[in-house]
Amino acid sequence: MFDSSVKLYIKYTLKDIRDICIEKVYGGILGKIFMAPFIIVLVIAAVTIPVSLFFLQREPEQLLDFISTLLFLVFILGFIVNFPFVVIYLSYKNDYRKSKLWQSIQCVEVSKENLVISSEEGSRTMTWDEVDGVLEYRRCFFIHQSSAKIFVLPKRCFVSQEQLEEFRSILSSSLESNKLILKNYKLVHSCPDYCDTEFELKSSVLEKAAEGDNEQKPELVLEVLLEKKEYIKFNFMFFYKKPIVIIFTLLGLYLLVRGLLGFGQLNNFIRIFSFRIFSLLSGVFLTFSIPLMLLIFSNRVYKRDKSMKKSALYKIYKDHYSVERSEGFLNIEWDKLVKIVDTKDFIFIFVTNNVVSIIPKRIFKGREEDLRKFEGILRENCGEILKKRF
């Protein structure tokens, strides 16, 4: 008979980051399909190279040409297959090393009512009707609040197979079947983290602060309800500063212009369906697919994430800031942030490279003095990480 709750502690390591990236890229059906051509060619190479060594040993030039071509194909496919993993892993690894939030210990309490995640910086509670889905992989669980908000629970944090089964039992009884994909893998590796008294002490202090038991008065109190168009604008600003997105867009524009200009030089109908058409179609795809996907992604996240439609209360102090939402609170010291971007219309506070507090400057309308005060606090405490653009 299972108990009604499970309590786990997590302190992410670089091995966890690697496992997360592996499951993110290769864990699903699309990842396995993506891997299939490389595995097939690898198997063919493993079989045909020894056979070719036997049959073509008297023709060394043909043998060398065949083997080098096959190995080159394996290398190219291997590069294509592993490139997404390398890019994502390097991004997450950089985020992990820069952000103290990634490296702090977290307590996860799972019950039939909700999921509570707490750390030295804060706490948040997700009721099961706010969870968009839970996916089980060999190394971890992905708990989706939306497509953009994912909490990863490494399986190594479970003490035993019994505790893992208890966790699965809670999920099965709390979530609708269409939101839950369980694979029932056995617990292969157990290496749980444990808390210390310092963590418990800091957590209790933060809980009292969140309840209002705090002698320090905030310099500013800001209430923010993010609009959908502001969230969409942030995503475009965020993704279009990434080198890979800029390269794809520039390549798309080049192919698009080349395809359009080429039509003026065509002399016959057949050439229309040659390289120029391919260039034009490739340019259209590379130029417009990214913004279209961003628009669909942003609309979907805003629609499905209930927390985004609720106000957040920001309390600005001289040495830190706090965010209070319906699902929990967060307290972050200014020197623990990755960066702050102060633009014409927004102030973006990056807790990690992928976790951002968005404060639109429209909330300061009629409160221009408060905006100047806020920017002054940021300049005084975050000078090195304060930027004017992404």
Side-chain angles (χ1 to χ4, degrees):
M1 185 71 180
F2 292 129
D3 295 329
S4 58
S5 65
V6 170
K7 192 171 185 177
L8 303 166
Y9 292 96
I10 305 170
K11 188 171 185 178
Y12 292 104
T13 64
L14 279 175
K15 185 179 182 300
D16 292 326
I17 301 301
R18 185 200 66 190
D19 290 344
I20 290 169
C21 294
I22 289 173
E23 300 296 6
K24 197 176 182 72
V25 176
Y26 306 117
I29 295 174
L30 289 176
K32 291 178 174 60
I33 293 173
F34 189 55
M35 281 284 290
F38 173 66
I39 295 172
I40 291 170
V41 171
L42 199 61
V43 171
I44 291 173
V47 173
T48 56
I49 288 178
V51 173
S52 64
L53 287 172
F54 178 77
F55 285 103
L56 298 175
Q57 56 182 331
R58 295 182 179 180
E59 300 179 34
E61 290 184 2
Q62 275 191 318
L63 177 64
L64 182 62
D65 184 57
F66 175 75
I67 292 178
S68 61
T69 302
L70 194 59
L71 290 177
F72 179 73
L73 182 60
V74 171
F75 172 78
I76 291 298
L77 284 174
F79 176 81
I80 293 171
V81 166
N82 289 290
F83 181 74
F85 167 75
V86 172
V87 171
I88 293 173
Y89 175 69
L90 291 176
S91 175
Y92 273 61
K93 183 179 178 182
N94 181 54
D95 195 11
Y96 174 83
R97 288 181 168 172
K98 283 186 175 181
S99 172
K100 295 181 181 179
L101 191 67
W102 264 108
Q103 300 174 38
S104 63
I105 192 165
Q106 300 182 64
C107 174
V108 181
E109 296 181 75
V110 185
S111 68
K112 291 184 177 180
E113 290 74 35
N114 53 39
L115 171 71
V116 181
I117 305 166
S118 56
S119 68
E120 294 178 357
E121 286 77 24
S123 175
R124 62 186 170 117
T125 302
M126 286 186 282
T127 57
W128 293 114
D129 64 333
E130 294 175 328
V131 174
D132 199 38
V134 177
L135 304 178
E136 179 181 358
Y137 296 102
R138 288 190 180 276
R139 299 171 177 84
C140 53
F141 290 91
F142 279 24
I143 301 172
H144 293 252
Q145 190 171 357
S146 70
S147 303
K149 289 183 181 178
I150 305 174
F151 178 76
V152 182
L153 180 61
K155 285 187 178 178
R156 67 167 183 83
C157 296
F158 290 94
V159 176
S160 62
Q161 180 67 34
E162 289 72 23
Q163 191 183 42
L164 176 57
E165 295 295 343
E166 185 177 349
F167 175 72
R168 288 196 187 109
S169 176
I170 293 172
L171 292 178
S172 298
S173 62
S174 304
L175 279 168
E176 300 170 15
S177 58
N178 64 332
K179 290 185 176 182
L180 188 62
I181 300 178
L182 296 178
K183 299 295 185 181
N184 296 314
Y185 294 119
K186 295 291 183 182
L187 182 64
V188 177
H189 175 60
S190 176
C191 182
D193 296 311
Y194 298 97
C195 75
D196 52 25
T197 53
E198 184 181 355
F199 169 76
E200 296 286 2
L201 179 62
K202 288 183 178 180
S203 295
S204 64
V205 170
L206 285 171
E207 287 175 5
K208 289 181 180 179
E211 293 169 0
D213 186 12
N214 188 355
E215 295 180 0
Q216 185 180 2
K217 291 184 178 180
E219 300 292 319
L220 292 169
V221 177
L222 310 172
E223 187 174 359
V224 176
L225 179 59
L226 196 65
E227 297 176 355
K228 183 168 73 171
K229 63 181 181 181
E230 292 170 336
Y231 179 65
I232 293 173
K233 186 174 181 179
F234 162 74
N235 277 327
F236 273 82
M237 294 172 70
F238 179 71
F239 280 96
Y240 272 94
K241 62 98 179 178
K242 295 180 179 294
I244 189 69
V245 176
I246 295 172
I247 290 170
F248 270 99
T249 303
L250 291 175
L251 178 60
L253 289 171
Y254 168 75
L255 291 172
L256 183 60
V257 171
R258 183 171 180 177
L260 289 172
L261 294 178
F263 281 113
Q265 304 168 5
L266 297 174
N267 297 320
N268 57 67
F269 182 76
I270 296 176
R271 291 187 62 188
I272 296 178
F273 297 95
S274 64
F275 181 75
R276 299 296 184 183
I277 284 291
F278 174 77
S279 178
L280 182 63
L281 294 177
S282 300
V284 169
F285 176 78
L286 291 174
T287 304
F288 298 106
S289 61
I290 294 176
L292 182 61
M293 286 189 292
L294 276 177
L295 189 61
I296 294 171
F297 170 81
S298 301
N299 275 289
R300 183 182 179 187
V301 170
Y302 192 86
K303 180 180 178 180
R304 301 181 73 164
D305 190 345
K306 296 179 181 179
S307 65
M308 294 190 71
K309 301 177 185 67
K310 299 175 183 178
S311 297
L313 195 66
Y314 288 81
K315 294 182 180 179
I316 311 300
Y317 300 88
K318 288 186 177 179
D319 57 346
H320 73 285
Y321 81 102
S322 68
V323 189
E324 295 176 19
R325 303 179 186 273
S326 58
E327 71 269 21
F329 68 97
L330 182 71
N331 279 272
I332 298 288
E333 295 173 2
W334 296 118
D335 60 358
K336 288 186 177 180
L337 296 171
V338 173
K339 65 179 176 181
I340 296 175
V341 181
D342 186 1
T343 69
K344 178 184 176 182
D345 299 314
F346 297 94
I347 294 175
F348 302 116
I349 302 175
F350 284 78
V351 181
T352 74
N353 282 331
N354 297 293
V355 178
V356 189
S357 293
I358 305 172
I359 302 179
K361 289 187 176 179
R362 62 172 170 77
I363 67 170
F364 291 100
K365 188 175 181 180
R367 302 174 56 189
E368 286 74 15
E369 186 61 35
D370 286 346
L371 175 58
R372 286 191 287 271
K373 186 176 183 180
F374 186 22
E375 291 177 330
I377 292 172
L378 295 179
R379 282 194 300 271
E380 183 178 348
N381 295 279
C382 314
E384 294 183 359
I385 60 172
L386 182 61
K387 305 177 184 297
K388 283 294 180 183
R389 56 185 177 183
F390 282 105

